[in-house]
Amino acid sequence: MSTADASATSARDRLARAGLILAAIVAGLALYGLGSGGSFYHRLVAAPFAPAAHAPYYRESLLHVGLAHALGLAGSLLAFRVFVLSFFWLGLVRLVTAPRLSLSDLALVLAVAVTHPAAMIAHAWTCHPDALTYALTLGLLFARRPAFIFPIAALGAWNHLWMWLVVCTSALVLWWTFAEPRLRPRALALVAGLLTGIVTCKLALHLCGIHIADDRFAAAAAHPLPVLLGYWTGPGWPLLYTLAFAHLVWLPALLLGLRRLAPRAALGLVVTQALALGATFFTEDTTRVFAFLAGGPLLYALVRALEVPAPHRPAALRPLVLAGVLLTLAAPKCFAWKGHLHDLEASRAHLRALLSR
């Protein structure tokens, strides 16, 4: 192939990937709308470092409100919503940069990302730091260089420390079980970045006179096991369905394929999903917490499995993934919060109202 032909092919490939991202963005908005809640985060944008003697726990999430403050988004709630949601889109961009996947496999990965509960929460719970957690998680999991891992790990601690500790633990588990190269320097960079982020975030809160009355750890300790026990006495299986939608359909095929990739890879993925499930014992935001803790590792494992040449990949994986996507699209969309199911009607109505102006 000549240099000109290679350049044309590369340009078409980049254009196709950009088209996939655009289609994913439109699909996400069409499926889930745009949530109208979380405005208390926007109120912080005007002065994210203002002192407070008894600050609520969410004052610890300094990163997305601090960035919005620097960009001058205090005057527009809608602009802040779109800004926060754009980090979910940034996570999708990170997914399509997987160089060893075909365009058809990339489309399949994006379809999973857009139909996963994490996408629903990113759209329905706008203003919350979750979309940024999503982008940082994917950036961390796929990062190879310690120079990139260190700042990502530090920034995550500024965004949502409680969830980020689980994400970092999952990253270490996956890198080890998937036999990732340069494990030791990457692990050291992650731990050093995480500790740096924790210390600097806590120091910033102290120097600014922001005293958290009850942080997320205290809230979890004070109200353990509030929701998962209700699975069997409350909504039951519909509530469990909100954790992963129909994507459990293809999980067995994925686990089988991972066994061929690395001896412990399947176990590593199971451990990350168990960590995410365990975290939901200590929160009322059941779907939200599980989705953002489990979704990144699941996508990482899917990408790695699809990188395996077709003869060595389970033949059922791609059709089962497609089946999971289609079943999820056909089924109702809802999330579990405080032991009850909530639909997306308000989120969709809010987007329709914005578009009709």
Side-chain angles (χ1 to χ4, degrees):
M1 181 182 294
S2 66
T3 303
D5 290 339
S7 298
T9 301
S10 178
R12 287 195 296 269
D13 182 75
R14 288 195 296 269
L15 184 61
R17 292 177 185 236
L20 288 176
I21 290 294
L22 181 60
I25 291 173
V26 173
L29 291 169
L31 285 170
Y32 311 118
L34 189 69
S36 59
S39 58
F40 55 88
Y41 275 111
H42 181 249
R43 291 193 288 270
L44 295 176
V45 173
F49 297 98
H54 300 283
Y57 65 89
Y58 56 81
R59 288 293 304 271
E60 290 180 305
S61 294
L62 294 171
L63 186 57
H64 72 310
V65 293
L67 290 172
H69 175 78
L71 293 172
L73 301 180
S76 173
L77 178 56
L78 177 58
F80 179 63
R81 292 193 193 284
V82 175
F83 167 72
V84 175
L85 183 57
S86 69
F87 286 105
F88 175 77
W89 302 335
L90 185 62
L92 301 182
V93 171
R94 182 63 188 89
L95 287 174
V96 302
T97 60
R100 289 179 287 183
L101 293 187
S102 65
L103 285 176
S104 61
D105 283 342
L106 285 175
L108 201 59
V109 170
L110 282 184
V112 171
V114 172
T115 57
H116 191 271
M120 173 184 63
I121 298 298
H123 288 78
W125 291 49
T126 54
C127 298
H128 289 72
D130 304 314
L132 184 48
T133 298
Y134 187 80
L136 290 169
T137 298
L138 292 176
L140 178 68
L141 292 177
F142 288 102
R144 297 259 177 146
R145 298 181 181 179
F148 293 156
I149 292 171
F150 178 88
I152 294 173
L155 288 173
W158 279 68
N159 188 58
H160 196 303
L161 177 58
W162 189 87
M163 291 179 67
W164 194 242
L165 289 171
V166 180
V167 169
C168 289
T169 302
S170 293
L172 292 174
V173 169
L174 291 174
W175 293 345
W176 176 58
T177 56
F178 278 70
E180 287 274 10
R182 304 182 65 198
L183 174 60
R184 185 183 298 272
R186 291 165 72 183
L188 289 175
L190 186 151
V191 173
L194 177 61
L195 291 176
T196 300
I198 293 173
V199 171
T200 54
C201 181
K202 296 295 186 181
L203 183 60
L205 290 169
H206 175 73
L207 293 176
C208 293
I210 302 173
H211 302 287
I212 307 297
D214 291 300
D215 63 11
R216 291 182 171 101
F217 294 100
H223 303 286
L225 316 180
V227 176
L228 272 188
L229 296 180
Y231 288 167
W232 319 111
T233 59
W237 290 107
L239 193 151
L240 286 174
Y241 174 77
T242 70
L243 298 181
F245 289 158
H247 292 295
L248 292 178
V249 167
W250 49 271
L251 186 59
L254 176 61
L255 295 174
L256 179 63
L258 292 178
R259 290 182 62 186
R260 303 176 184 179
L261 180 67
R264 295 183 294 265
L267 176 61
L269 177 58
V270 170
V271 168
T272 65
Q273 305 304 291
L275 286 172
L277 186 63
T280 64
F281 276 84
F282 302 96
T283 179
E284 295 177 326
D285 306 341
T286 311
T287 303
R288 168 180 165 264
V289 169
F290 182 85
F292 285 100
L293 294 181
L298 184 66
L299 288 168
Y300 166 86
L302 178 61
V303 169
R304 293 297 308 278
L306 292 174
E307 289 175 345
V308 176
H312 305 289
R313 182 196 312 162
L317 179 58
R318 291 179 68 181
L320 283 176
V321 171
L322 181 59
V325 169
L326 294 177
L327 286 171
T328 296
L329 288 173
K333 309 292 184 298
C334 55
F335 58 88
W337 180 48
K338 292 188 175 182
H340 300 284
L341 297 178
H342 302 264
D343 62 29
L344 300 175
E345 190 52 43
S347 176
R348 291 165 175 160
H350 183 232
L351 180 59
R352 289 196 298 267
L354 291 173
L355 294 177
S356 63
R357 286 181 181 177

